Amino acid sequence: MNGNVRQIFIDQLLSWPEVTQQPHRFGGIEFLFIGKEIGHLHGDPLVDLLMPKSFRDQLIVSGRAQPHHMYPDSGWVSVYLTSNEDVTNAIELLRFKYDYLVANRNE
């Protein structure tokens, strides 16, 4: 992902209401909705997201995500950004997680 695509990616997430960013504890950028993590970007090539387990399994079977690169048996998934399609997919998955957090904000 070149610098322009990276900035467009970041700007897209920060355009969603109440989304902020901060450094991630393991490097990269963490995106938050009212203090709850949506996902994080490690450098240019990798996005990690925590998903509900049943949806996580569907993402892996469909090929939209891979088991997390460090914790493959967790609810986390990894999306490698090797093409424009991967970037679009990652934004869609982050948006799903954002919408999930918005819908469940009072829980």
Side-chain angles (χ1 to χ4, degrees):
M1 177 168 37
N2 70 40
N4 290 338
V5 173
R6 178 184 171 84
Q7 194 58 52
I8 291 168
F9 182 93
I10 293 167
D11 290 347
Q12 174 69 39
L13 271 73
L14 294 177
S15 74
W16 302 339
E18 302 183 82
V19 171
T20 59
Q21 73 176 39
Q22 68 182 26
H24 187 263
R25 66 188 176 277
F26 299 122
I29 301 170
E30 182 173 280
F31 299 96
L32 305 162
F33 170 72
I34 311 179
K36 294 187 179 183
E37 184 177 350
I38 301 166
H40 53 270
L41 175 65
H42 290 290
D44 290 341
L46 177 63
V47 172
D48 290 327
L49 304 96
L50 179 62
M51 293 292 196
K53 188 81 164 107
S54 61
F55 189 60
R56 173 235 183 242
D57 294 344
Q58 291 174 24
L59 292 174
I60 292 169
V61 168
S62 71
R64 292 188 70 191
Q66 296 180 17
H68 189 267
H69 58 103
M70 296 292 292
Y71 304 104
D73 296 324
S74 70
W76 287 88
V77 296
S78 293
V79 179
Y80 291 90
L81 306 175
T82 58
S83 69
N84 288 339
E85 291 79 19
D86 294 335
V87 172
T88 299
N89 177 51
I91 290 172
E92 289 172 358
L93 296 179
L94 289 159
R95 183 62 194 216
F96 171 87
K97 179 65 183 275
Y98 169 80
D99 290 340
Y100 176 85
L101 290 172
V102 169
N104 295 286
R105 73 187 305 167
N106 295 322
E107 292 182 8

